């Protein structure tokens, strides 16, 4: 054996003998080119940086790897498999849209990797936790489910659209997605009996629709007082065409594009009059000191869109910290059941002016929400009744004005402006 050979062999032996630096590996799954996905990714990045600056978790550094879904169900399944098999991550934080999460959920059940969904809100997933708690134990959703969102929105229909505006009927324009179907069903079942507003028609459209003129024309022909839209994909298109066509009906509902500061720019300034429900914090929403500090850090770190994180960015920031705190108590992420038992006990209360403003926690299995009379295990805590002293409301309604400003119009306890009709819509 030559000297050089012996030297290489000795070096290899030394490298083999030295253990790799211990680390906790977090996997991000979501779109790397959407405001939604980037909000979750960046919220998680900031949380991890802050945790590492404090010594990491259990003395181990936290690292993160990403897997792009491209908002495709097929790519989403591949992304989850990549994180589980190739990267062997300890924990997954998701910024996936509903359809994509539904695609990879069977993989989560198979690999049993603790997973936190920060954007998906499909109530059917929480139903899965209720029906098969063992299989769904590693899964948490720290956004109020769409049922809770719709429940409070129906109150908006009753308190504002019905009582203040005098609206009696609605036509629903909903995208053809799992999210669109779920929200449509919830609103249809509740608007008439609870808010006293009749649903005259439901128009389902493809997410790639570029010409909404025929759809708006059909909506007008129903004679409804207003339009309820459900749009989570390409929402800026329906928004700008509504304004440019001067559709003579108020349009409210769920418009994901309107949740970001870039909405006005994306619609070319043609976004005035649009109102949308939004989980919180939202654009136009007053922030507590802790949330403002996160936004300040975010905006100092990133100079590209989204300029302000969507609500799921806040969810990721707090959720990653709660997941890591749970891992410390459970001795790591390997025992998903032990980790979940600690995660469900996480409870962060953020105060503003001496009052509860936001609360990041989870419903337990036996806790019954009083308004709906059902359980929401592993779902984010929410409050469906004023004065919101248990938790924050499941959503707020924000409205963009024709001058490009935006504010909260409902619930009244969180409102900083009033709901108004666009200038081109007849008041009567």
């Amino acid at each position: 054996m030559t000297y050089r050979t012996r030297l290489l062999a000795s070096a290899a032996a030394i490298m083999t003998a030295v253990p790799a630096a211990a680390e906790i590996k977090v996997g991000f799954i979501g779109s790397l080119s959407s405001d939604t996905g980037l909000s979750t990714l960046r919220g998680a990045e900031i949380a991890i940086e802050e945790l590492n600056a404090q010594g990491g978790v259990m003395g181990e550094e936290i690292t993160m790897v990403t897997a792009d879904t491209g908002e495709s169900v097929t790519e989403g399944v591949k992304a989850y498999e990549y994180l589980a098999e190739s990267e062997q991550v300890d924990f997954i934080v998701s910024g996936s849209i509903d359809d994509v999460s539904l695609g990879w959920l069977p993989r989560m059940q198979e690999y049993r990797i603790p997973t936190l969904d920060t954007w998906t809100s499909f109530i059917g997933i929480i139903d899965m936790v209720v029906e098969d708690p063992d299989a769904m134990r590693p899964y948490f959703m720290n956004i109020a489910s769409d049922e809770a969102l719709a429940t409070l929105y129906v109150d908006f229909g009753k308190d504002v659209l019905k009582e203040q505006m005098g609206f009696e009927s609605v036509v629903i324009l909903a995208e053809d997605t799992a999210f669109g179907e779920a929200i449509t069903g919830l609103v249809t079942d509740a608007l008439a009996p609870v808010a006293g507003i009749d649903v005259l028609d439901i128009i389902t459209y493809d997410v790639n629709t570029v010409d909404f003129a025929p759809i708006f024309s059909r909506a007008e022909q129903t004679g409804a007082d207003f339009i309820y839209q459900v749009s989570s994909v390409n929402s800026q298109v329906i928004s700008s065409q509504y304004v440019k066509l001067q559709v003579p009906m108020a349009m409210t509902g769920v418009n994901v594009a309107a949740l970001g500061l870039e909405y006005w720019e994306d619609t070319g300034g043609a976004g005035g009059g649009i109102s949308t429900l939004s989980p919180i914090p939202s654009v136009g929403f007053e922030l507590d000191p802790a949330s403002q500090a996160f936004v300040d850090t975010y905006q100092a770190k990133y100079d590209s869109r989204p300029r302000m994180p969507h609500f799921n960015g806040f969810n990721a920031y707090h959720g990653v910290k709660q997941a890591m705190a749970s891992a410390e108590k459970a001795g790591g992420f390997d025992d998903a059941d032990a980790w979940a038992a600690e995660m469900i006990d996480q409870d962060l209360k953020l105060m503003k002016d001496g009052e509860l403003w936001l609360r990041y926690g989870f419903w337990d299995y036996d806790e019954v929400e009083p308004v709906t009379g059902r359980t929401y295990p592993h779902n984010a805590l929410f409050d469906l009744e004023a004065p919101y002293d248990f938790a924050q409301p499941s959503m707020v309604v924000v409205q963009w004005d024709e001058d490009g400003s935006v504010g909260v119009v409902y619930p009244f306890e969180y409102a900083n402006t009033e709901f108004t009709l666009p200038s081109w819509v007849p008041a009567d």
Side-chain angles (χ1 to χ4, degrees):
M1 180 181 293
T2 65
Y3 173 77
R4 182 174 182 277
T5 302
R6 289 197 302 273
L7 184 62
L8 291 174
S10 298
I14 292 172
M15 292 176 65
T16 302
V18 176
E23 66 177 12
I24 298 290
K25 186 179 285 190
V26 174
F28 162 81
I29 185 169
S31 169
L32 295 175
S33 59
S34 70
D35 293 345
T36 297
L38 289 174
S39 291
T40 293
L41 175 63
R42 292 172 174 180
E45 284 178 341
I46 293 173
I48 290 171
E49 288 176 359
E50 292 180 357
L51 287 168
N52 281 336
Q54 298 166 7
V57 177
M58 299 178 294
E60 298 183 7
E61 183 181 18
I62 309 167
T63 62
M64 184 162 65
V65 294
T66 63
D68 190 5
T69 66
E71 296 189 340
S72 160
V73 174
T74 300
E75 293 304 314
V77 174
K78 293 178 181 177
Y80 202 98
E81 291 172 344
Y82 166 76
L83 292 175
E85 297 177 0
S86 298
E87 294 292 349
Q88 298 183 347
V89 298
D90 300 291
F91 168 72
I92 291 176
V93 58
S94 165
S96 303
I97 61 176
D98 294 51
D99 295 67
V100 174
S101 290
L102 286 168
W104 53 248
L105 267 175
R107 299 297 185 271
M108 186 282 301
Q109 295 177 335
E110 175 185 353
Y111 296 117
R112 297 193 65 76
I113 299 173
T115 300
L116 178 70
D117 239 339
T118 65
W119 197 98
T120 293
S121 62
F122 182 45
I123 184 61
I125 297 178
I126 299 303
D127 289 336
M128 294 168 64
V129 179
V130 174
E131 295 162 5
D132 195 349
D134 291 335
M136 293 293 291
R137 195 83 65 194
Y139 178 89
F140 281 78
M141 178 192 292
N142 73 343
I143 168 181
S145 61
D146 50 26
E147 180 185 84
L149 298 172
T151 297
L152 203 60
Y153 196 89
V154 168
D155 287 340
F156 167 72
K158 173 174 62 69
D159 295 340
V160 176
L161 302 179
K162 174 78 171 184
E163 295 185 7
Q164 290 188 2
M165 308 304 297
F167 294 162
E168 302 281 348
S169 58
V170 63
V171 56
I172 298 176
L173 305 187
E175 65 184 15
D176 187 13
T177 63
F179 179 75
E181 181 180 359
I183 293 290
T184 297
L186 292 167
V187 171
T188 301
D189 291 343
L191 267 180
V194 177
I197 297 174
D198 293 327
V199 179
L200 301 187
D201 196 7
I202 300 172
I203 303 172
T204 303
Y205 65 87
D206 187 87
V207 295
N208 295 312
T209 298
V210 294
D211 181 8
F212 281 89
I215 295 174
F216 283 129
S217 178
R218 177 178 163 185
E220 288 182 58
Q221 291 172 9
T222 66
D225 292 319
F226 71 101
I227 295 170
Y228 186 103
Q229 64 161 317
V230 186
S231 178
S232 66
V233 182
N234 300 325
S235 308
Q236 68 277 9
V237 179
I238 188 173
S239 302
S240 59
Q241 290 195 22
Y242 166 76
V243 176
K244 291 174 181 177
L245 292 170
Q246 303 279 279
V247 180
M249 308 166 67
M251 186 163 77
T252 185
V254 188
N255 184 309
V256 170
L259 306 184
L261 286 178
E262 286 76 15
Y263 171 73
W264 197 251
E265 178 182 345
D266 289 346
T267 59
I274 295 291
S275 59
T276 177
L277 72 77
S278 174
I280 51 181
S282 69
V283 291
F285 182 83
E286 296 177 6
L287 296 175
D288 60 272
S291 298
Q292 185 62 58
F294 165 62
V295 171
D296 291 344
T297 300
Y298 179 99
Q299 292 180 335
K301 181 177 176 63
Y302 306 105
D303 58 5
S304 60
R305 65 178 300 162
R307 299 193 306 275
M308 177 177 172
H310 291 202
F311 61 86
N312 52 305
F314 294 83
N315 294 348
Y317 174 72
H318 295 301
V320 166
K321 289 189 172 184
Q322 290 179 316
M324 295 301 156
S326 300
E328 284 193 317
K329 292 182 178 181
F333 290 98
D334 291 341
D335 187 338
D337 291 342
W339 173 83
E342 299 296 342
M343 187 68 167
I344 209 166
D345 286 337
Q346 290 293 316
D347 191 3
L348 173 64
K349 297 178 180 178
L350 301 181
M351 311 299 288
K352 181 177 179 293
D353 299 328
E355 297 182 356
L356 178 68
W357 199 244
L358 295 171
R359 186 178 181 185
Y360 291 87
F362 299 96
W363 292 97
D364 209 334
Y365 290 89
D366 57 354
E367 290 182 286
V368 177
E369 195 285 313
V371 173
T372 62
R374 61 156 291 171
T375 60
Y376 297 86
H378 290 208
N379 196 192
L381 292 174
F382 54 82
D383 199 340
L384 297 180
E385 290 184 303
Y388 308 109
D389 52 4
F390 170 71
Q392 71 277 359
S394 60
M395 62 101 213
V396 294
V397 179
V398 300
Q399 183 172 35
W400 286 84
D401 202 349
E402 291 172 66
D403 64 1
S405 60
V406 59
V408 175
V409 299
Y410 190 84
F412 300 127
E413 291 79 2
Y414 283 75
N416 48 39
T417 188
E418 294 184 356
F419 179 80
T420 58
L421 291 176
S423 60
W424 64 87
V425 176
D428 55 359

